[in-house]
């Protein structure tokens, strides 16, 4: 989507811009509820059951892994993907905007193709410039997975809520949730910092 936003062709850039404006400005929880409860009702009852709730793909995954794949979990994945991808596309576009125009002019003067400019200048330098903001957004998305509890997907926070309702020990379980999320945060941010440092050690151009 970020690459499409950079296109000079309006029939490519404008739909990408519309995608960004729509899914960046709708709250993630609203998207989750829409895909979980509203979208299935658009389909006829038989098609809804066959496509969303009892299909060979999710049944095959469940048989292979032993883990059920409810449609509501897929709805959460779709919603968070749409929301986060819209943010990341705009962050990437901002990162590309920091590239010195002289680099692009020099590449075009030397006869570089559009594919070369994209793969060797725009993508690596744009990602490198935008990666701190991308990391922040990815961490935010990781925390947004807790919203899956609102549609009864058995994620960690849903289990915490279930435990609280059964034991009435809210303080203890909420403290446990906070500790687990902090541990996940530190692990994930450490991984992202390692990726960022690896990117900065690589040369800007791979070939000549």
């Amino acid at each position: 989507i970020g690459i499409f936003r950079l296109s000079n062709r309006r029939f490519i850039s404008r739909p990408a811009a519309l995608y960004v404006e729509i899914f960046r400005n709708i709250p993630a929880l609203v998207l989750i509820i829409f895909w979980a409860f509203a979208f299935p009702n658009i389909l006829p009852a038989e098609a809804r059951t066959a496509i969303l709730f009892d299909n060979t793909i999710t049944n095959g995954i469940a048989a292979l892994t032993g883990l059920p794949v409810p449609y509501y979990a897929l709805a959460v994945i779709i919603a968070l993907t749409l929301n986060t991808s819209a943010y990341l596309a705009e962050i990437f576009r901002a990162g590309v905007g920091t590239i010195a125009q002289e680099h692009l002019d020099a590449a075009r003067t030397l006869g570089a193709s559009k594919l070369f400019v994209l793969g060797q200048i725009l993508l690596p330098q744009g990602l490198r410039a935008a990666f701190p903001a991308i990391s922040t957004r990815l961490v935010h998305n990781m925390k947004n997975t807790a919203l899956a509890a609102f549609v009864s997907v058995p994620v960690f926070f849903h289990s915490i809520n279930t435990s609280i309702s059964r034991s009435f020990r809210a303080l203890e379980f909420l403290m446990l949730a906070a500790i687990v999320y902090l541990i996940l945060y530190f692990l994930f941010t450490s991984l992202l910092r390692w990726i960022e440092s690896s990117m900065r050690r690589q040369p800007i151009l791979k070939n000549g």
Side-chain angles (χ1 to χ4, degrees):
I1 300 298
I3 292 172
F4 291 162
R5 290 278 279 122
L6 298 171
S7 176
N8 293 325
R9 297 180 174 86
R10 290 185 177 182
F11 69 90
I12 295 177
S13 62
R14 287 195 172 180
L18 183 63
Y19 176 99
V20 169
E21 291 304 318
I22 290 175
F23 294 115
R24 188 178 59 164
N25 291 297
I26 299 177
L29 180 58
V30 175
L31 285 173
I32 289 172
I33 293 173
F34 169 80
W35 286 102
F37 301 124
F39 176 73
N41 290 326
I42 297 174
L43 303 174
E46 293 183 0
R48 179 168 64 241
T49 301
I51 297 173
L52 303 180
F53 298 101
D54 187 20
N55 62 72
T56 55
I57 296 176
T58 55
N59 291 341
I61 294 174
L64 184 64
T65 63
L67 299 173
V69 186
Y71 167 72
Y72 300 111
L74 298 177
V76 172
I77 292 172
I78 293 170
L80 293 183
T81 298
L82 292 172
N83 182 254
T84 301
S85 64
Y87 276 99
L88 295 182
E90 203 64 1
I91 292 171
F92 172 71
R93 189 172 74 94
V96 170
T98 65
I99 299 174
Q101 186 62 37
E102 291 81 0
H103 292 179
L104 302 177
D105 293 339
R108 295 190 183 105
T109 301
L110 294 172
S113 65
K114 291 183 178 180
L115 187 60
F116 179 88
V117 172
L118 174 64
Q120 298 293 335
I121 299 178
L122 294 181
L123 280 178
Q125 293 193 41
L127 284 174
R128 191 173 301 182
F131 199 79
I134 290 174
S135 298
T136 300
R137 189 64 211 177
L138 291 176
V139 170
H140 182 76
N141 189 59
M142 181 193 73
K143 293 184 289 185
N144 269 348
T145 57
L147 297 175
F150 285 90
V151 291
S152 299
V153 175
V155 291
F156 172 68
F157 193 67
H158 180 264
S159 301
I160 290 291
N161 285 334
T162 302
S163 300
I164 291 173
S165 64
R166 291 178 179 175
S167 66
F168 300 100
R169 303 178 71 90
L171 178 61
E172 292 88 340
F173 279 107
L174 288 176
M175 288 181 63
L176 173 63
I179 292 171
V180 170
Y181 278 114
L182 279 174
I183 293 172
L184 290 174
Y185 165 79
F186 285 119
L187 291 174
F188 193 41
T189 52
S190 297
L191 173 63
L192 292 173
R193 288 194 191 100
W194 177 79
I195 294 173
E196 183 179 3
S197 63
S198 299
M199 291 174 61
R200 294 191 181 281
R201 287 195 299 267
Q202 294 177 358
I204 293 178
L205 294 179
K206 296 180 180 179
N207 298 315

